[in-house]
Amino acid sequence: EGDVSTNAFDDYFQYSLTQPVTIHKNESAMVPILQQELPAEHVTLWSEREATPLRAVWLENKSKLTLDSGSFSIFENGEFAGEGLLDPIHPGEKRLLSYAADQAVRVRITDRSSKRALHHVEIRKGVIIETHMDVASSTYTAINSADEERVVLLEHPRRTNGWSLDDGLKADETAPSLYRFKVPVAAHATAKLEVREHGPEQVRV
């Protein structure tokens, strides 16, 4: 990274080499742009929208350079493990990069329940407004048949309009439309996660 600087303007950027590189006639060269260790975590990404869990890298760009869009390859223990495409990753951003299906992990929802309790009644200009407090629970079961531990990253839909997770339950990442929870699963083992939420609902009569 010490040999490269970057200039950003709007949504564009350019790399500038601080030391010139000589390329002779009829020759070509590959010039390293970034050589730096970045925080990365191997996870198995699961979403109810996808039938098969995906092997992914949770990468944080702690460099001073933007990682340009393009293809990437993943090697595990010196062997090729998969490849994928990435969008630009700016300094300070964290991104999930999926690269292969994970055939060793299965995730299913083993229980779903909801309860409603009347919390408040108000009469306003002939309209009865009932405010209920809803409590919802989803239990996820992850099965790992691999010979090594997996960290399963579960994506759970996030409700808005006053809904929140129960006390003591914290997501590892929160996005506008979902929560992400990390669930370690030992080799040839099963792990469960219960996600509990509560929020108000109004009924007008």
Side-chain angles (χ1 to χ4, degrees), residues 11 15 54 63 74 78 116 122 125 138-139 168 200:
D11 288 333
Y15 299 116
L54 299 173
S63 74
I74 300 293
R116 168 173 288 190
E122 179 182 358
K125 294 183 179 180
S138 298
T139 300

Side-chain angles (χ1 to χ4, degrees), residues 16 34 40 43 53 60 67 84 92 94 112 115 120 144 149 191:
S16 301
L34 175 65
V43 297
E60 184 176 0
L67 306 182
K94 195 172 183 179
R112 260 189 179 143
K115 294 186 296 184
H120 182 263
N144 177 20
E149 182 188 65

Side-chain angles (χ1 to χ4, degrees), residues 12-110:
Y12 301 93
F13 59 90
Q14 69 178 15
Y15 299 116
S16 301
L17 298 177
T18 57
Q19 298 180 357
V21 175
T22 300
I23 303 176
H24 299 288
K25 182 179 179 180
N26 297 326
E27 290 184 350
S28 62
M30 295 185 66
V31 181
I33 298 297
L34 175 65
Q35 297 185 74
Q36 180 179 339
E37 289 189 5
L38 299 177
E41 182 179 6
H42 280 277
V43 297
T44 294
L45 177 63
W46 181 86
S47 170
E48 196 173 359
R49 302 185 305 270
E50 300 290 340
T52 304
L54 299 173
R55 291 294 283 156
V57 172
W58 214 359
L59 177 68
E60 184 176 0
N61 184 9
K62 284 203 167 183
S63 74
K64 297 179 180 178
L65 303 180
T66 296
L67 306 182
D68 200 3
S69 59
S71 61
F72 65 89
S73 299
I74 300 293
F75 291 84
E76 296 178 357
N77 300 320
E79 296 183 358
F80 177 77
E83 59 187 358
L85 298 174
L86 59 86
D87 294 324
I89 307 177
H90 297 93
E93 286 186 340
K94 195 172 183 179
R95 193 74 55 80
L96 272 167
L97 307 176
S98 58
Y99 59 88
D102 193 342
Q103 303 293 347
V105 172
R106 288 181 295 135
V107 179
R108 64 180 186 270
I109 300 174
T110 52

Side-chain angles (χ1 to χ4, degrees), residues 58 94 153-154 156-160 163-165 169-181:
W58 214 359
K94 195 172 183 179
L153 193 64
L154 291 169
H156 177 82
R158 182 185 177 189
R159 308 188 193 204
T160 55
W163 279 74
S164 61
L165 297 173
L169 186 62
K170 181 173 172 42
D172 292 276
E173 186 175 64
T174 300
S177 61
L178 57 84
Y179 296 110
R180 291 190 175 111
F181 298 92

